[in-house]
Amino acid sequence: QVQLVQSGAEVKKPGASVKVSCKASGYTFTSYGISWVRQAPGQGLEWMGWISAYNGNTNYAQKLQGRVTMTTDTSTSTAYMELRSLRSDDTAVYYCARAMGIMENAFDIWGQGTMVTVSS
Amino acid sequence: QSALTQPASVSGSPGQSITISCTGTSSDVGGYNYVSWYQQHPGKAPKLMIYEVSNRPSGVPDRFSGSKSGNTASLTISGLQAEDEADYYCSSYTSSSTLGEVFGGGTKLTVL
């Protein structure tokens, strides 16, 4: 079946970096983009950015520009999201999602989420 | 502060209909037919319910419908069921400075 499986929970210190993986299966990886969305504890959803699995083009949320990098490895159908210079307010569940639709802005398949905790 | 405005909570009894609004601007909801709605149960990943204003993905019951008028999009759930109790989020493509996707703050639906 179509699914996205993410890497496990992470605990990081302020200033460190984290890299979350998202392995796709059950569909042609390069036919869809991947977006990353995060959700702080008890809060709403926040779009972080999008990457084309076809050509690697990216579009990042302005507030994360310079701290986030999204990449893909088409040989393993895996997407990655790296966030640097972590702060306490980066503590959140991070989701990858398959991007579909005309603008690839509708997210029809989601990973299970990866909890990232930033604490000294 | 979220870019799209949703009511914090709505409620309804089983069998009734409810509508959740999502208000943006001409740079997002009003300017494009690229509004989506997501359902999220506690501790679970969101689920796509509506995309491109009114399209339902395969498997989503036709009790869920979407519409848009001006800068406001709406999600209507008819024939409310207990399992519909969840958080609902709207999102839209935006051409503002963020140039990407923006979410609403979410609406807690309680089935009485």
Side-chain angles (χ1 to χ4, degrees):
Chain A
Q1 73 279 25
V2 177
Q3 62 178 355
L4 299 172
V5 178
Q6 299 183 222
S7 49
E10 303 263 12
V11 179
K12 297 291 183 180
K13 294 192 183 302
S17 298
V18 68
K19 191 170 186 176
V20 180
S21 68
C22 169
K23 183 171 176 60
S25 61
Y27 72 95
T28 301
F29 183 64
T30 52
S31 294
Y32 297 84
I34 293 285
S35 268
W36 289 86
V37 176
R38 69 180 180 179
Q39 186 170 35
Q43 302 301 308
L45 302 173
E46 179 185 13
W47 180 78
M48 299 178 66
W50 164 91
I51 182 167
S52 167
Y54 174 71
N55 59 18
N57 286 350
T58 55
N59 181 26
Y60 302 139
Q62 189 175 53
K63 71 173 286 188
L64 295 174
Q65 290 270 3
R67 287 208 300 140
V68 68
T69 300
M70 296 175 187
T71 57
T72 60
D73 180 346
T74 56
S75 68
T76 60
S77 299
T78 302
Y80 299 91
M81 185 284 299
E82 180 180 34
L83 189 60
R84 300 176 293 278
S85 302
L86 289 169
R87 310 186 290 246
S88 58
D89 62 356
D90 290 320
T91 294
V93 176
Y94 288 75
Y95 294 101
C96 62
R98 187 175 79 167
M100 53 83 82
I102 297 170
M103 291 295 291
E104 288 203 351
N105 76 317
F107 313 134
D108 66 336
I109 304 295
W110 292 67
Q112 82 276 20
T114 296
M115 183 70 212
V116 175
T117 302
V118 182
S119 174
S120 56
Chain B
Q1 185 175 353
S2 302
L4 305 180
T5 301
Q6 299 180 233
S9 62
V10 298
S11 63
S13 299
Q16 289 186 331
S17 294
I18 64 94
T19 296
I20 300 172
S21 62
C22 171
T23 302
T25 69
S26 58
S27 295
D28 38 66
V29 174
Y32 308 93
N33 290 324
Y34 301 130
V35 176
S36 302
W37 289 91
Y38 300 88
Q39 175 192 67
Q40 186 180 35
H41 288 108
K44 301 295 187 182
K47 175 185 177 182
L48 179 66
M49 305 303 285
I50 298 287
Y51 68 99
E52 291 164 10
V53 176
S54 60
N55 294 325
R56 273 188 313 276
S58 174
V60 173
D62 59 7
R63 302 186 294 105
F64 292 83
S65 62
S67 61
K68 191 187 84 166
S69 177
N71 294 337
T72 299
S74 298
L75 172 71
T76 298
I77 308 173
S78 58
L80 268 180
Q81 299 181 3
E83 58 262 37
D84 297 335
E85 184 163 298
D87 293 325
Y88 290 84
Y89 294 90
C90 64
S91 71
S92 173
Y93 172 78
T94 178
S95 60
S96 70
S97 59
T98 55
L99 194 61
E101 190 74 5
V102 290
F103 282 96
T107 298
K108 170 66 178 176
L109 168 62
T110 300
V111 180
L112 302 171

